[in-house]
């Protein structure tokens, strides 16, 4: 058989996917595994959003749309960011893609030339370095620590800037750490982007999942160099519907649209209509967000208390739905610890290796309270044994 390309041979599969597959395989064999691997809300989407998708099908909204998204959805996105974040975008500064993931991929492809560097504070979401690599770029990680709440030091970011730096990625609330970075830190990072003429990519998928502290809209300072990445997956529990969007300067959005026009064309038409309804039905959606946020907060507290009680130190994350726990008391190698948790406690997690988080594993608490309590009890029994 002919070989696959060098670029793809060099690309690693996401460890989140690999560990999820391992857990699913055990489940298939009849083993009762509690899955804490996936970054996916366990809630059903709001009922009125489901209804909107039914309506879209009935009304024949089943054709291709404009590649960059329907005008109606893009206007709803413009309104959302004006209403909630005080940002003002024109419609040609908005693109709708197949998940936030495609927005990011389009962006790296549109921003990077071969060898260009992208600064990404670590621990980071695994797809940033993979996408940067595919776009010919080089990821420059800037480590953060649990002791500092996984908040980057702007001085360390400044020190990582070279003549090849093209972009800085910001992700607050963040995956995998759940950290919410203070406004002053975000402002300092934005100022660095301005001073060095860099793109600033702000991944705001978890905007609505903040439990302590406050979300900060990074695009408020230098909108002309900032790409805001957002989507419907995490806020409205619409992961499988694949709606994400990017807001930024028109020439960048245009380049991303040109790429998308050749690769996938528009995001799913039915899902675009449903996402529009989610954004426009301000009160119903706010009630859904308040309900889910309260549930996640309660789960987070039980999770953090449980892990610390078991001697697996975990700082309290302020947002998203992940907790990073120190598993060195199980094994110095986090992959060995994650395998032990899966095979001996029947709780599936993701080792920090690919997030650049040695000694740590990620637990997702986007699962029921009953599952969380059972998981803590199982891990306790495993550690006692
Ligand atoms: C930090 C972060 N950014 C982006 C995404 C992409 O989400 P989606 O493609 O579902 O919009 C995810 C999903 O896990 C994420 O955790």
């Amino acid at each position: 058989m002919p070989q696959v390309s060098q670029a793809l041979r060099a690309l690693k599969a996401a460890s989140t996917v690999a560990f999820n597959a391992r857990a699913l395989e055990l489940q298939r064999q009849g083993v009762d595994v509690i899955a804490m691997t996936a970054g996916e809300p366990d809630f059903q989407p709001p009922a009125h959003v489901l209804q909107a998708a039914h309506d879209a099908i009935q009304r024949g909204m089943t054709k291709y749309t404009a590649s960059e998204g329907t005008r109606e959805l893009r206007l709803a996105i413009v309104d959302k960011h004006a209403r909630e974040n005080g940002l003002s975008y024109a419609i040609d500064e908005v693109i709708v893609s197949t998940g936030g993931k495609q927005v990011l991929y389009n962006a790296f492809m549109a921003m990077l030339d071969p060898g260009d560097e992208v600064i990404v504070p670590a621990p980071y979401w695994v797809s940033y370095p993979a996408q940067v690599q595919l776009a010919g770029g080089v990821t420059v990680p800037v480590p953060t620590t649990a002791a500092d709440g996984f908040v980057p030091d702007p001085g360390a970011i400044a020190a990582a800037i070279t003549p090849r730096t093209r972009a800085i990625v910001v992700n607050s609330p963040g995956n995998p750490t759940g950290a919410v970075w203070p406004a002053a830190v975000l402002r300092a990072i934005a100022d660095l982007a301005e001073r060095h003429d860099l793109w600033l990519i702000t991944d705001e998928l978890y905007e609505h999942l903040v439990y302590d502290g406050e979300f900060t809209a990074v695009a408020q300072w230098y909108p002309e160099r900032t790409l805001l990445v957002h989507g419907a997956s995490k806020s409205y529990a619409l992961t499988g519907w694949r709606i994400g969007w990017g807001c930024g300067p028109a020439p960048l959005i245009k380049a991303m649209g040109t790429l998308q026009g050749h690769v996938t064309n528009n995001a799913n038409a039915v899902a675009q209509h449903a996402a529009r309804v989610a954004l426009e039905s301000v009160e119903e959606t706010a009630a859904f967000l308040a309900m889910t946020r309260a549930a996640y907060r309660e789960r987070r507290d039980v999770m953090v208390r449980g892990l610390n009680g078991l001697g697996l130190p975990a700082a309290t994350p302020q947002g998203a739905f992940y907790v990073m726990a120190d598993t060195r008391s199980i094994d110095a190698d986090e992959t060995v610890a994650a395998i032990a948790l899966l095979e001996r406690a029947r709780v599936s997690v993701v080792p920090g290796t690919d997030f650049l988080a040695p000694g740590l594993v990620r637990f997702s608490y986007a699962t029921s309270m009953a599952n969380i309590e059972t998981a803590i009890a199982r891990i306790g029994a495993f550690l006692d044994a």
Side-chain angles (χ1 to χ4, degrees):
M1 191 190 94
Q3 285 210 326
V4 300
S5 66
Q6 275 183 22
L8 271 291
R9 269 183 279 152
L11 191 70
K12 264 184 72 180
S15 57
T16 42
V17 174
F19 262 74
N20 217 16
R22 216 173 166 132
L24 287 175
E25 176 55 24
L26 278 181
Q27 281 172 339
R28 201 188 56 75
Q29 293 167 12
V31 181
D32 162 32
V33 173
I34 296 181
M36 300 187 123
T37 34
E40 169 155 77
D42 57 315
F43 295 98
Q44 275 297 305
H48 69 286
V49 177
L50 297 179
Q51 186 57 49
H54 282 275
D55 294 346
I57 294 170
Q58 294 303 333
R59 285 161 58 188
M61 296 173 150
T62 48
K63 308 288 189 202
Y64 291 131
T65 72
S67 176
E68 62 277 17
T70 65
R71 184 175 169 75
E72 292 77 11
L73 174 53
R74 284 187 296 148
L75 286 173
I77 292 164
V78 166
D79 286 348
K80 177 257 178 265
H81 288 292
R83 188 175 63 239
E84 296 185 7
N85 313 109
L87 303 173
S88 79
Y89 289 109
I91 190 165
D92 65 348
E93 294 173 321
V94 178
I95 183 169
V96 176
S97 303
T98 300
K101 218 169 213 179
Q102 191 187 19
V103 178
L104 286 160
Y105 181 70
N106 288 343
F108 291 126
M109 291 293 285
M111 291 175 184
L112 303 181
D113 288 313
D116 282 349
E117 295 171 358
V118 180
I119 293 178
V120 190
Y124 47 48
W125 181 51
V126 290
S127 291
Y128 300 135
Q131 294 190 350
V132 167
Q133 181 184 332
L134 283 171
V138 177
T139 294
V140 177
V142 172
T144 65
T145 63
D148 294 329
F150 298 112
V151 173
D153 167 13
I157 292 179
I161 295 173
T162 74
R164 293 311 305 265
T165 307
R166 289 285 281 164
I168 304 174
V169 175
V170 161
N171 177 215
S172 168
N175 175 7
T177 65
V180 177
W181 304 349
V185 168
L186 291 165
R187 176 69 203 252
I189 297 171
D191 286 344
L192 285 172
E194 170 72 1
R195 195 171 322 137
H196 296 273
D197 191 23
L198 308 176
W199 291 109
L200 191 57
I201 300 175
T202 174
D203 178 339
E204 304 186 352
L205 266 284
Y206 296 94
E207 170 185 5
H208 294 115
L209 304 181
V210 175
Y211 316 112
D212 307 309
E214 249 180 62
F215 171 78
T216 303
V218 171
Q220 65 186 290
W221 297 302
Y222 305 107
E224 69 287 356
R225 62 177 63 258
T226 305
L227 176 72
L228 187 169
V229 182
H230 212 307
S233 290
K234 316 290 176 176
S235 298
Y236 313 125
L238 293 173
T239 44
W241 297 36
R242 312 306 303 128
I243 296 294
W245 60 85
C247 304
L252 174 69
I253 296 294
K254 185 161 182 265
M256 291 163 61
T258 303
L259 171 64
Q260 179 167 305
H262 288 298
V263 178
T264 53
N265 203 31
N266 60 275
N268 180 295
V270 172
Q272 284 194 63
H273 178 69
R276 169 196 170 186
V277 168
L279 289 170
E280 287 179 346
S281 53
V282 177
E283 276 171 35
E284 287 108 313
T285 305
F288 178 81
L289 289 171
M291 181 274 287
T292 54
R293 193 159 42 229
Y296 288 132
R297 187 197 180 102
E298 209 178 316
R299 295 166 178 187
R300 174 198 69 168
D301 292 344
V302 170
M303 191 80 219
V304 170
R305 211 177 313 126
L307 290 168
N308 284 298
L310 294 173
L312 301 176
T316 303
Q318 297 166 294
F321 37 58
Y322 310 102
V323 177
M324 298 292 277
D326 185 331
T327 48
R328 284 176 296 177
S329 60
I330 301 176
D331 197 286
D333 180 336
E334 63 283 354
T335 302
V336 176
I339 292 171
L341 286 168
L342 175 60
E343 293 181 350
R344 303 202 35 216
R346 285 167 294 123
V347 176
S348 75
V349 296
V350 184
T353 322
D354 292 350
F355 306 132
L356 276 203
L360 304 177
V361 307
R362 187 191 78 177
F363 291 79
S364 163
Y365 54 87
T367 187
S368 69
M369 190 63 101
N371 275 346
I372 292 170
E373 285 166 351
T374 307
I376 295 293
R378 284 185 185 179
I379 298 169
F382 154 61
L383 293 175
D384 285 346

